[in-house]
Amino acid sequence: MEIVKQAASQDELPKINTVCTSSDPDAEVYMNFMKKHCCYDAMPTSCKLVVFDTTLQVKKAFFALVANGLRAAPLWDSKSQRFVGMLTITDFINILHRYYKSPMVQIYELEEHKIETWRGDSTKNVYLQCCNRCLISITPDASLFDAIYSLLKHKIHRLPVIDPKSGNVLHILTHKRILKFLHLFGAMIPKPKFLQKTIEEVGIGTFKEIATVQETATLYDALSVFVARRVSALPVVDSKGKVLALYSRFDVINLAAQKTYNNLNMTMREAVRRRTCFVEGVIKCYGHETLETIIDRIVKAEVHRLVLVDREDVVRGIISLSDLLQAMVLTPAEVASR
């Protein structure tokens, strides 16, 4: 359905960094900006929102995500007449990872199961008992600071904005949308001096135990890393650690589009080659570049992370949207997402 704006009524967890300190006069600029603006302010004038009933078949739901170019959708329980959760690509990954080559049930036999069965809403056939059944949401008048805190604290990438009066979902707020909003209206506030510091100086991002996958590894190996490390994307590297491509959680939905999810033994080289949907690609950055350059690049490229590489294109780190929001907004408030 189309949602029209009306009058308001890890990634991996980022580490605490030194970009903003209490002695820095500019440290609280972005924090104050986010506290002064509400979630409604960051909502687009019009957007597409797809809602799934929990009685819908899982396969059809994932196909619908592909058809609409979406990464997640709110779940509506007709019995209780309320929203009960979100169906995301992470669910698709968990299903494939858990039941591929399972001695108990073949994946094709599960294609006809309903969402409520996977979520454990029915009294029988509870397959995903460990899933999070609690819907984490926020109201339109809540601050963007609170939205950022909820996203990072709960390690989620999508936060439903729900009207407290009607109970309707108005929008799905993301890290990307919030940072884009800040970028668009950044001219309204003084530009902090710390934006001129380099990535090497501020230390924003993940630089140790970086999750990658070899191009010769299988797709199932990649799914295992997604599940174990809870990362949103994996740099695909060669034997020397040089980045060749980026394989994200969203790329996994191609398996549903192409109906190839029964073949998880293909190599990552083949999986990358077979992608037909929107491909985020590898957007790189370097340690000597400034924070301002990094923010500008990640916003304009509309990606969720940058891959930090050296002169030989060897992966040295990952800088995600959550890393940037933690450093620019939460850290100055002495709030950690942990």
Side-chain angles (χ1 to χ4, degrees):
M1 62 176 144
E2 285 289 319
I3 298 297
V4 180
K5 193 172 179 180
Q6 301 175 342
S9 48
Q10 169 213 171
D11 300 23
E12 292 175 326
L13 279 176
K15 64 180 182 180
I16 299 299
N17 49 69
T18 58
V19 62
C20 300
T21 63
S22 58
S23 61
D24 187 342
D26 298 324
E28 299 181 350
V29 169
Y30 292 135
M31 178 195 73
N32 292 331
F33 179 85
M34 294 301 181
K35 286 186 175 181
K36 291 178 181 178
H37 289 83
C38 64
C39 295
Y40 183 80
D41 295 333
M43 289 170 51
T45 302
S46 179
C47 63
K48 179 186 293 186
L49 180 65
V50 174
V51 176
F52 295 144
D53 192 286
T54 56
T55 59
L56 182 68
Q57 292 176 347
V58 173
K59 182 177 67 174
K60 291 183 178 179
F62 287 124
F63 283 174
L65 287 180
V66 173
N68 289 280
L70 300 175
R71 288 170 164 80
L75 297 175
W76 174 259
D77 187 325
S78 299
K79 297 177 182 177
S80 61
Q81 288 293 295
R82 64 186 179 90
F83 289 99
V84 294
M86 296 280 291
L87 186 73
T88 70
I89 295 175
T90 298
D91 295 313
F92 186 56
I93 291 174
N94 288 337
I95 290 172
L96 292 182
H97 182 259
R98 182 166 182 176
Y99 295 105
Y100 180 67
K101 295 188 299 187
S102 168
M104 297 178 292
V105 187
Q106 294 297 318
I107 293 182
Y108 71 85
E109 294 182 61
L110 302 177
E111 291 182 354
E112 305 304 319
H113 288 170
K114 300 177 181 178
I115 295 174
E116 61 183 2
T117 305
W118 285 111
R119 297 187 72 250
D121 294 340
S122 65
T123 57
K124 299 184 296 182
N125 300 326
V126 181
Y127 294 101
L128 295 181
Q129 296 179 354
C130 60
C131 69
N132 183 4
R133 304 181 197 173
C134 177
L135 176 64
I136 299 170
S137 63
I138 200 164
T139 60
D141 58 352
S143 72
L144 286 174
F145 180 89
D146 290 337
I148 293 171
Y149 178 73
S150 293
L151 284 166
L152 271 64
K153 175 187 177 182
H154 299 291
K155 306 174 187 176
I156 56 178
H157 299 88
R158 285 153 195 86
L159 185 64
V161 181
I162 297 182
D163 188 321
K165 294 184 178 180
S166 66
N168 293 330
V169 176
L170 305 178
H171 184 60
I172 306 297
L173 203 57
T174 65
H175 302 82
K176 183 190 290 187
R177 183 66 194 178
I178 294 174
L179 191 61
K180 184 176 182 179
F181 177 77
L182 175 61
H183 193 261
L184 289 174
F185 294 93
M188 299 170 53
I189 57 179
K191 184 177 293 186
K193 294 180 181 179
F194 62 73
L195 290 182
Q196 299 310 313
K197 292 184 178 181
T198 67
I199 291 300
E200 292 175 343
E201 292 175 322
V202 299
I204 296 177
T206 300
F207 309 104
K208 296 181 179 180
E209 299 181 353
I210 306 165
T212 63
V213 62
Q214 293 283 327
E215 62 174 333
T216 55
T218 67
L219 182 52
Y220 185 82
D221 292 332
L223 297 187
S224 299
V225 178
F226 279 133
V227 172
R229 297 291 298 275
R230 300 187 66 179
V231 293
S232 60
L234 292 171
V236 180
V237 300
D238 62 15
S239 59
K240 296 181 180 179
K242 181 178 179 179
V243 60
L244 303 174
L246 190 71
Y247 197 80
S248 70
R249 286 178 178 267
F250 185 66
D251 289 323
V252 179
I253 208 67
N254 279 281
L255 302 178
Q258 301 171 349
K259 301 180 181 179
T260 58
Y261 44 84
N262 277 322
N263 179 21
L264 302 185
N265 290 329
M266 73 176 77
T267 64
M268 289 307 300
R269 185 187 298 111
E270 179 70 11
V272 168
R273 188 186 66 80
R274 288 193 179 192
R275 291 184 297 189
T276 57
C277 297
F278 169 79
V279 178
E280 182 173 298
V282 183
I283 307 298
K284 307 170 188 175
C285 66
Y286 303 88
H288 66 269
E289 294 183 302
T290 65
L291 183 57
E292 182 176 22
T293 299
I294 296 302
I295 295 173
D296 186 64
R297 183 174 302 157
I298 202 170
V299 171
K300 289 184 177 180
E302 297 188 344
V303 295
H304 293 82
R305 84 286 301 162
L306 300 180
V307 180
L308 181 70
V309 298
D310 60 18
R311 293 180 180 179
E312 284 72 42
D313 273 351
V314 174
V315 179
R316 299 303 182 189
I318 299 290
I319 301 174
S320 68
L321 293 175
S322 55
D323 290 331
L324 294 173
L325 291 174
Q326 169 70 56
M328 297 163 60
V329 180
L330 297 190
T331 298
E334 299 183 351
V335 175
S337 61
R338 300 179 191 278

